Structure formats: C-alpha cells, structure tokens
Amino acid sequence: MIRKVKKFFEFIGALFYFLFYRIKNIGKKKNVAQVLNSFNSGGLEQVAANVYKSFLKNGNGSYVISISNTAGPICQQLESPKHFRMIYYNFSAMLKFCAKNNIGTLIYHFSTFKLPQFKMLGFKTYYVIHNTYLWYTEGEWQNLKIKMKFTNGIIAVSEWCKDYFIKKTGISKVKVILNGIDFQNLQSGNISTITRKSLGIKNDDIVVLTVGSYTDQKHQMAILGIAEQMIKKYKNMKFLCAGPILNRDLFKLFKRELKKSSANKNVIILEYVPQDQMGDFIHNVCDIYLQPSIHEAGVPLTVMEALIKKKPVIMTDFMLDKTFPVIDRIVGVRPPYEDLMSITPKKVIEMTKKKVDSSTNEYVRKLEDIVSNLDYYRDESNFNIDDYAFLSMERMAQEYIDYIII
Amino acid sequence: MNKMILKQFLDVRKRLKKKKSIIIVAPYFNEERLKDGYFKRVKAVDELFADYYKVYVTYETTKPYIQFEEHENDTTVVRYLPGSKKQKLLVALLMMAAKKIYCHSVWQVKTKFFKLPGVKVYVDVHGVVPEEETLYERYEAAQMYGDIEEVTVQKAECLICVTNKIREHLKEKYGDKFKARTIVMPIYDTSLSQYDIEVPKSKKLVKDKPVVIYAGGIMKWQKIELMQDSINKSKDAAEFMVYCPNPKEFWETWEYPKMKNLTVGSKSYKDLCKDVYSIAHYGYVLRDDITVNNVACPTKIADYFKYRVVPIVSSPKIGDFLELGMRYITLEDFNNGKLLSKKELEEIADNNEEVLKKYVERHNKGKEEFKQMFK
C-alpha cells in the first residue's frame, strides 16, 4: 500500500516535471527515442541502434531507452552514454527522461511498455514488428491489437512478418522497412581477435558459419544433421556456430548432442563475436553462411553482412524472392513445415530439438551445390556491391526518416 | 557513539574550522600507489595544498566504524562506510566545517555534496567517467555517473581539467547546462626532471636500424595486439624494445615467431630514461579514436617529446597534443616501411620539443590559476 502511494506521488511529480519541460521547450525541435526491453546484443537491438544512428545523422536528438536494466556491448555503438537510459520498468523515470531530453516520438521495438499512456500524453508512437511472434497467446494478440490503436504507425522488418502480423491481428496498415546495415562499418571495423588460427581451422578447410543466439527459432540443432551428412563427403568442412546463449537448456542439449555426433570434431562453438569485428571475422573465417532457422523476422543482419562480404548464403526461405531484388548469392530452402500459421511455440520447441527434419536433405543438396561453385563465389569479378545497395543503412535510414513524424 | 571516535571527530572538526583547510575526497596515496596515474595526480594536487590542513575522505575501509588516521604534512585520513547514515552525517559535518571539498574525478562526487550549506565543491576531472564506465561495460555505473557528471558541471565551484579537450567535451555534451568555472591544468610531474639526461639532436642507429620502443601498461585500450602485429610486420625495419610492469603478460598475447631484435623487460622510470628513451627514435602510442582517448592526458607522450622520440600513432587525437602542434608518424606508414629520414626525425623531434614547452606552459598557467583560486 505504502509503495503504491509512493509510486502515485512519484508519478504526480513526474507529471509536473514533464509539464515544466514541455512548456520550457515550446518551439524547440523534438527528439526521438528507441524503446526496447533490453539493450544487450542481438539483431533487434542492432536494428534499433541503426535507427538511432540514422536519426542522429539526420540532425535529430536521438536516444535509446531500455525498459529493464539489461544492457550490453551494443551500448558501445551509441555516440554518448547520455543517449542511453535504463528505466527499470519505472513509468515516471521514463517520463522524466523523455521530458528532460525533449523526446516527442517513441519507436517501440517489440516492447509495448506503457505505449497507450505515452500516446495519451501527446507522444507520437510507432511500433516495429521484428518477428513472427509465434509464442503469443490469443490473449496477447488481443492485447497487442488494442495497443496498436495507440500508435501513429506500424513498421514490419519484412514481408514475412508483415504477412503473419496481418493474419493474426487483421491490421493491414503496416509499412515494410527492410533492415539495413552500415557498409562502411563492416568494411572498416576492427580486426577480429577470432581467427582461423585461433580456432584451429586450416586455411584449406571449408568453413560454414552460422551466427545467431541460442533460441528455439534459430534451430542450431539442424546444423548437426546437415554437418553429419556433409562431412561424409567433405572431411575438411567445419561448422562454426557463433552467438550468445539466451536459452541455456537448449545450448546444453546442443552440446550434449554434439558430443554424441559423428560431426563432433567438425563443429566449433563460439559465443559472442563483437559487432565491430564482425566484418573482418566473416571476411577471414567464413566460406559459406548458413541460417537454418525455423522462423525469422525476415532477413537476419548477419545474413546481410555475409552477403556484403561476398559470401554465399544458404538459409530457410522466408519469402526471399519478395524481399531480395537480387538473389544470385542466396539460396533458399523450404521451411520444415507447410503453413506458418499452424506453428505454435510448442511445435517450435519440438522442432528445435531435431537434428533432421524435412529440410535437411534439401539443405545438404544445395550446400553441396554451393561447395562445387565456391570458386565462382570467391571470384571478385562476379560480385558487384551496387547490386546490394538495398541492404544499406542509408536506404533504411531514409525510409524511417520519411515515415516517422517527429 | 564511542567516546574515542567522538573525541577524534571533534578534534578534526576543530582543526578544520581553525586552520586554512580543505576536504579532499579521494583514496590516500602511498609509495606503491604512485605508479598509478590517478594517484600521481592526487599527490600533485596535494602538493599544491602544502599550507593547508588536509582531510582525505575515503570509503576505503575494513572497519565497520569511522576511522581517523593522522599522517605527515598536516593530513588526516577519514575512512567511513558510505552505507552508514551516522558516518555519512559525521563526514557531512566535517565538510561543512571545511567549507571546501576537492573531489578527485566524478567517481568521488556525490550529488548530496552540492546540497551541503555553505560548501564549495571543486572537482578534478581526470577523465570522462560515464564514457569510461561504458567502455568497461559497466552500464549501470555509466548511467549513475552520467547523472552525477550532469549535476557537477552545473553546480561545482570549479572543474580542474587535465586537458582542454575534456573541457571542450563537457561543454559540448552539456551545452547551456554547463555553468562551472574551469581551469586546465595538465599532468606534468616536475619532480621527474631529476632523472633528465642530455639527449643528442641526432641519435645513433643501432645495428643500422632505428630503435622503436614501448613503455607502459598492457591494458586493453593500449592496443597491445595491434602493436604486436606492427612489430611483426616491421620486424626487419627496426630494433624493438618493450618495457612493461609484467613482461609475461606481453608474451601471453604474442602469436608470432620469436624475434632476435625484440627485447621485452621491465625497468624503473630512471632506467627507462637512461637506457631506453635516450636511444629511441620512435615510440608506440596506439589508441582508438574514441572519446576516452581523445580527452586523455597520457604522460608517456610528454616523456617521448622530452627525449626526442617520434610517436607512432593509430589515431593522433590524444588529449591536447594535436592542438598544440604535435607531429608524428602514422601506424600505417610505419607498417608499410615508410620510415622517416634522419632529417625528418630531427625536424619532428625539434617540433615536438616546442610542443612540450607549450604543454608545460599550459601546466604552469593552470597551476597559477589554481593557486590564485585557493589563496
């Protein structure tokens, strides 16, 4: 009870603080903030960081708000620590931060923390759909649907998740803005401390790289099924699995299965690869990029990074032809199910534990094709970076800037 | 309260009121600690308060009660637990009695200091704390010190900055909110001049090659792996000497074949001047182009200039040196074998000696302003 009263007065205080700053800042250009549940590492966070940078470059005051106190290496990408705030699920703290920094637009990434309340306080709110939220219950979809009424706009990061979102909510006014990456950063990033040598990989080994956090959807277990078949033919093939461990049980299971697997010596586990080293890491370590996800938001950033680094990509086909104007270096494999709408989190949990499913043989066949054409992919004259301009952050930035009202 | 503690407290408070005095919020230095740049600064400032009664306030303690230690040079060290309200109150009363607090960096500042009636807060800005905390991936601390820094630039009586770049950085970061007076007083230890050695204008080559040195720590931000890569790439071009507190650590990250022309060891400052700086032509100072380095004040560069050593830099934006006219060779040129001719080496060393003079002038000017302020 006392806590509630305290919180109420805290809110009243924050409200006056908010009004004071709003009056003080009348006539001044408003700023924009990205709102996330956490700001640690991962694709969603990277997109938010890229959007943050885009607005900053555009001359807007740009900030990132993390609802929880989870923060990580991605914070290093922000121009100043002043641009980042952890608010510990405290509405008043977020309101005060927004007031002090004259933030008028909030771009929510997956999180919907107090979205309607901020809208009612005069903020412009946008929601970014980053994934096919298979784990949402009907109740949660209803809840999201209501909250979406308090947005100025909804953005999906791919046709694939837009399609799913529309089917689930019936809301059709969704703008697709494909994620983009910073080509410059990728080319001029730091030298990777993780090298073929440090990983014990020989120069003539073929390295198949997967980058993704250990979560049900990423389906690292499929790599074992593919690897077991591939190494029968290619003894010098190494499968490198890099990514943070978000689901520890799944990771433990993966390690147990790896221990039993005939591909035990051909699969290498790596944890986090610093983002500023990613370009050099992919360039020097990877030959082929593999992403056998069960479902995805669309195109993972590392897939884009691999493409820009001239690597052939093989991944589960999430409307790749609709997403990519150029697909000569990206090979799609049918997902291990017929209809995404029939997939539930329970099914994903079952599927993620399987090494072999209906996609495995297609993966193996197409991977063999890529290996036989490796010289073609390695030949610089067969790659024109301009063909991939649609993956650039500049394109993404412009689309966000044009769409978001500040 | 324990009678003994009360007696000590009243005694310190009485002296604070009676004498010209100051509270210094920082851990107290000793011989061992003086290897660290932070404590060198604490000592340098301590010397500027020579005629003051100084009370160091620190939460470095192993005891559950407040402690009062008497030291030489009219100094008392008060150790307290910041979690204890009673002890905090006693420290606040001491601060109110002294009326002046000198905090060594934002790390030591508490926003409550600014609420103490009649107390002026002076802050020595050694570095950019929120940015450093972010670099070390301590994000909650970065947020907390960011809040403190914001209050500090508004309410502190004066900020004593180690570089002009720090002052500019804070002014740009806080814009109109920046209200505090500032003094730029770079770190320059005049006492080290006792080890000065006459350096010839033109240094001799060793085995027909220039000598490249590194003297310093093996911290992540000192880019040791980048330096090792450079040493390996330029292995035929020079004689290399690396001196660090723990040479073992250097070899831990060395992943190249051993080189006959690479010496790794440990030396005192005096021996470094005599045996290393005096014969060296080039010296590594590799730093990333990030705020923490752009505003820093590495004493190593001043030593290089004094001993006519040309810096090899990956980014020249280190503290105020570029602004003062520093000349250097880039790591890229060095790695590509584009070494300087004898004449160029001399010209750059001459130029950098002038830069050092300007740097010392800036230090002396800052010191004068400092003394005036606390007269």
Side-chain angles (χ1 to χ4, degrees):
Chain A
M1 185 63 189
I2 294 169
R3 246 181 76 191
K4 275 188 179 170
V5 172
K6 214 176 144 190
K7 244 182 154 180
F8 174 75
F9 281 108
E10 196 184 280
F11 172 67
I12 297 296
L15 213 52
F16 277 107
Y17 189 89
F18 172 70
L19 286 171
F20 169 76
Y21 272 97
R22 279 293 191 253
I23 293 165
K24 196 180 163 198
N25 290 322
I26 284 175
K28 285 187 187 160
K29 200 168 136 188
K30 286 215 170 66
N31 300 323
V32 58
Q34 314 301 313
V35 184
L36 303 95
N37 280 334
S38 62
F39 201 55
N40 194 348
S41 62
L44 181 149
E45 285 85 346
Q46 188 57 58
V47 172
N50 288 352
V51 179
Y52 151 86
K53 287 180 213 168
S54 304
F55 280 103
L56 202 62
K57 228 174 166 181
N58 192 46
N60 300 99
S62 192
Y63 297 87
V64 174
I65 297 169
S66 170
I67 305 302
S68 69
N69 63 344
T70 311
I74 206 146
C75 291
Q76 313 269 358
Q77 294 184 31
L78 305 185
E79 200 190 70
S80 165
K82 211 182 133 194
H83 292 169
F84 176 62
R85 193 80 193 173
M86 292 176 276
I87 56 128
Y88 312 97
Y89 298 93
N90 185 329
F91 179 43
S92 302
M94 183 162 159
L95 188 61
K96 281 168 92 173
F97 181 72
C98 290
K100 201 167 89 175
N101 294 293
N102 200 24
I103 294 165
T105 301
L106 297 171
I107 304 175
Y108 283 84
H109 298 264
F110 181 61
S111 165
T112 54
F113 181 76
K114 307 284 178 193
L115 189 151
Q117 287 89 329
F118 278 103
K119 175 73 182 165
M120 285 189 275
L121 283 166
F123 284 79
K124 295 187 182 76
T125 54
Y126 291 85
Y127 180 76
V128 184
I129 310 158
H130 279 271
N131 214 324
T132 46
Y133 306 137
L134 299 184
W135 59 91
Y136 266 24
T137 61
E138 277 313 309
E140 282 172 316
W141 277 114
Q142 282 308 315
N143 202 359
L144 184 65
K145 217 171 137 178
I146 294 166
K147 286 186 174 176
M148 289 303 101
K149 287 182 181 156
F150 294 91
T151 57
N152 291 67
I154 303 168
I155 297 159
V157 297
S158 71
E159 290 290 345
W160 176 259
C161 51
K162 174 187 170 180
D163 194 51
Y164 188 80
F165 182 83
I166 292 172
K167 282 177 186 161
K168 280 289 185 184
T169 60
I171 301 170
S172 57
K173 218 177 156 197
V174 179
K175 161 99 178 152
V176 173
I177 302 180
L178 184 68
N179 292 336
I181 51 170
D182 189 339
F183 288 10
Q184 190 61 34
N185 257 3
L186 198 63
Q187 309 293 13
S188 62
N190 284 341
I191 295 167
S192 175
T193 46
I194 309 159
T195 59
R196 280 187 174 238
K197 193 180 167 191
S198 73
L199 294 167
I201 296 171
K202 291 178 192 150
N203 282 338
D204 57 352
D205 286 346
I206 300 168
V207 177
V208 180
L209 171 70
T210 304
V211 182
S213 48
Y214 285 85
T215 54
D216 295 332
Q217 73 175 69
K218 293 287 179 190
H219 199 192
Q220 275 90 350
M221 205 69 82
I223 299 167
L224 295 188
I226 299 164
E228 283 170 7
Q229 292 201 48
M230 289 303 290
I231 59 163
K232 286 178 193 162
K233 198 167 170 184
Y234 304 100
K235 298 245 179 298
N236 64 336
M237 191 171 257
K238 295 283 188 307
F239 290 81
L240 193 53
C241 304
I245 303 157
L246 299 189
N247 183 339
R248 201 151 279 283
D249 291 338
L250 186 68
F251 179 68
K252 279 183 191 164
L253 179 70
F254 178 70
K255 272 178 74 172
R256 274 204 303 275
E257 287 297 322
L258 175 62
K259 219 173 175 182
K260 288 189 272 177
S261 169
S262 58
N264 185 13
K265 287 188 176 142
N266 296 67
V267 177
I268 301 165
I269 297 172
L270 253 182
E271 283 189 33
Y272 182 69
V273 179
Q275 190 55 38
D276 59 351
Q277 297 179 9
M278 191 59 86
D280 186 66
F281 173 71
I282 294 176
H283 179 74
N284 289 315
V285 178
C286 165
D287 292 302
I288 302 165
Y289 189 84
L290 165 71
Q291 194 82 57
S293 310
I294 295 169
H295 64 100
E296 274 288 354
V299 187
L301 295 178
T302 36
V303 165
M304 298 185 185
E305 286 164 347
L307 284 170
I308 299 307
K309 284 287 168 190
K310 304 167 195 145
K311 308 296 177 187
V313 171
I314 177 164
M315 66 178 289
T316 316
D317 191 348
F318 306 112
M319 292 184 172
L320 290 177
D321 55 344
K322 267 196 168 183
T323 311
F324 283 84
V326 181
I327 49 166
D328 65 337
R329 282 178 175 263
I330 182 159
V331 178
V333 173
R334 272 188 307 141
Y337 46 80
E338 285 304 317
D339 179 14
L340 181 66
M341 298 308 287
S342 66
I343 299 297
T344 60
K346 208 175 160 194
K347 280 187 186 167
V348 175
I349 292 170
E350 283 166 20
M351 289 163 82
T352 204
K353 291 174 185 162
K354 286 183 184 164
K355 289 198 293 187
V356 178
D357 56 30
S358 60
S359 299
T360 313
N361 285 339
E362 195 180 336
Y363 262 112
V364 171
R365 208 173 59 244
K366 290 185 170 169
L367 198 51
E368 282 180 353
D369 285 346
I370 294 177
V371 175
S372 60
N373 288 313
L374 259 185
D375 288 339
Y376 168 84
Y377 292 119
R378 282 171 179 159
D379 186 346
E380 302 255 331
S381 64
N382 293 324
F383 180 83
N384 183 4
I385 197 150
D386 294 338
D387 292 343
Y388 291 87
F390 66 94
L391 293 179
S392 73
M393 206 166 97
E394 286 74 19
R395 189 268 315 145
M396 181 194 83
Q398 202 50 55
E399 285 193 56
Y400 268 96
I401 288 160
D402 291 345
Y403 185 68
I404 305 277
I405 303 161
I406 296 173
Chain B
M1 194 192 297
N2 181 315
K3 272 187 187 168
M4 180 71 175
I5 290 175
L6 182 65
K7 195 175 163 241
Q8 285 174 319
F9 166 74
L10 291 172
D11 176 47
V12 171
R13 191 163 167 262
K14 195 174 153 193
R15 277 190 281 166
L16 279 170
K17 281 189 161 178
K18 211 169 140 194
K19 294 179 178 177
K20 199 168 146 189
S21 57
I22 190 148
I23 299 264
I24 299 174
V25 187
Y28 194 53
F29 55 89
N30 56 35
E31 206 51 50
E32 180 59 30
R33 284 182 151 181
L34 283 174
K35 284 178 188 165
D36 188 307
Y38 179 88
F39 288 100
K40 277 184 192 163
R41 177 71 169 189
V42 175
K43 185 173 176 276
V45 171
D46 185 276
E47 283 163 6
L48 294 175
F49 287 121
D51 55 344
Y52 271 67
Y53 168 51
K54 288 155 283 185
V55 175
Y56 278 80
V57 167
T58 173
Y59 45 76
E60 279 188 339
T61 184
T62 49
K63 303 277 182 346
Y65 50 86
I66 193 163
Q67 292 167 269
F68 297 88
E69 290 169 8
E70 292 302 323
H71 289 254
E72 55 187 14
N73 298 326
D74 208 6
T75 302
T76 305
V77 175
V78 179
R79 300 182 186 277
Y80 79 109
L81 275 175
S84 157
K85 280 188 182 167
K86 270 187 202 165
Q87 292 183 32
K88 271 200 291 193
L89 178 68
L90 292 181
V91 169
L93 289 170
L94 292 181
M95 287 174 172
M96 277 152 49
K99 293 192 168 57
K100 285 188 191 112
I101 337 176
Y102 194 95
C103 303
H104 274 284
S105 97
V106 169
W107 263 304
Q108 303 294 339
V109 181
K110 302 261 180 284
T111 48
K112 283 190 177 147
F113 291 174
F114 298 103
K115 291 176 184 158
L116 295 172
V119 175
K120 288 178 180 172
V121 182
Y122 302 83
V123 181
D124 200 309
V125 190
H126 297 211
V128 280
V129 177
E131 283 78 1
E132 279 177 39
E133 292 290 359
T134 303
L135 191 67
Y136 289 109
E137 298 177 16
R138 298 187 292 244
Y139 304 106
E140 289 185 278
Q143 182 162 311
M144 181 181 83
Y145 288 115
D147 292 347
I148 294 175
E149 188 182 77
E150 193 172 336
V151 178
T152 301
V153 299
Q154 294 177 71
K155 297 190 174 166
E157 185 67 17
C158 182
L159 303 179
I160 298 93
C161 306
V162 290
T163 60
N164 188 39
K165 284 278 175 226
I166 283 195
R167 173 164 68 178
E168 281 176 7
H169 163 80
L170 291 175
K171 281 192 170 171
E172 200 195 318
K173 188 172 173 184
Y174 293 105
D176 297 344
K177 285 181 188 163
F178 194 103
K179 301 262 169 31
R181 179 190 166 188
T182 53
I183 291 176
V184 177
M185 189 173 72
I187 303 169
Y188 187 72
D189 194 344
T190 41
S191 68
L192 294 178
S193 56
Q194 59 175 307
Y195 305 120
D196 282 2
I197 287 164
E198 192 71 32
V199 187
K201 267 220 163 230
S202 172
K203 291 178 185 173
K204 283 181 188 164
L205 298 176
V206 174
K207 294 176 191 165
D208 284 335
K209 288 175 186 171
V211 175
V212 182
I213 56 156
Y214 173 75
I218 306 279
M219 308 294 277
K220 183 185 163 190
W221 48 271
Q222 286 161 320
K223 312 291 290 175
I224 299 306
E225 283 162 29
L226 190 64
M227 180 178 78
Q228 291 178 336
D229 174 64
S230 165
I231 293 174
N232 182 55
K233 276 181 183 153
S234 318
K235 57 186 168 211
D236 299 324
E239 287 289 313
F240 294 92
M241 293 172 136
V242 174
Y243 291 95
C244 49
N246 187 0
K248 236 181 166 181
E249 280 178 45
F250 176 86
W251 291 119
E252 276 168 17
T253 50
W254 179 265
E255 49 174 43
Y256 310 99
K258 290 239 169 175
M259 287 163 45
K260 277 187 182 166
N261 55 340
L262 167 63
T263 312
V264 181
S266 180
K267 273 185 192 288
S268 67
Y269 181 78
K270 187 182 166 190
D271 290 339
L272 272 179
C273 297
K274 192 163 63 102
D275 308 331
V276 183
Y277 288 149
S278 59
I279 59 161
H281 300 86
Y282 300 94
Y284 286 109
V285 201
L286 306 180
R287 300 283 192 274
D288 281 331
D289 182 6
I290 52 170
T291 312
V292 171
N293 295 329
N294 296 347
V295 303
C297 185
T299 46
K300 191 198 317 292
I301 296 190
D303 286 332
Y304 282 179
F305 291 175
K306 196 194 279 182
Y307 289 93
R308 300 179 64 80
V309 178
V310 174
I312 304 170
V313 299
S314 50
S315 159
K317 289 193 219 160
I318 309 170
D320 293 346
F321 292 106
L322 195 61
E323 174 188 305
L324 293 173
M326 172 181 78
R327 285 179 65 192
Y328 50 87
I329 178 172
T330 64
L331 181 68
E332 200 183 347
D333 280 352
F334 182 78
N335 286 351
N336 291 330
K338 292 180 192 164
L339 299 189
L340 302 167
S341 65
K342 200 177 157 191
K343 195 180 161 213
E344 284 171 322
L345 273 172
E346 273 181 39
E347 273 174 15
I348 294 182
D350 286 344
N351 173 80
N352 290 348
E353 272 184 341
E354 288 306 309
V355 172
L356 182 63
K357 277 182 198 160
K358 288 186 213 164
Y359 178 80
V360 177
E361 265 170 37
R362 190 172 274 188
H363 166 81
N364 289 336
K365 188 175 166 257
K367 215 157 114 178
E368 234 7 84
E369 283 181 52
F370 185 98
K371 281 180 180 168
Q372 283 296 321
M373 187 167 64
F374 287 103
K375 208 160 74 175

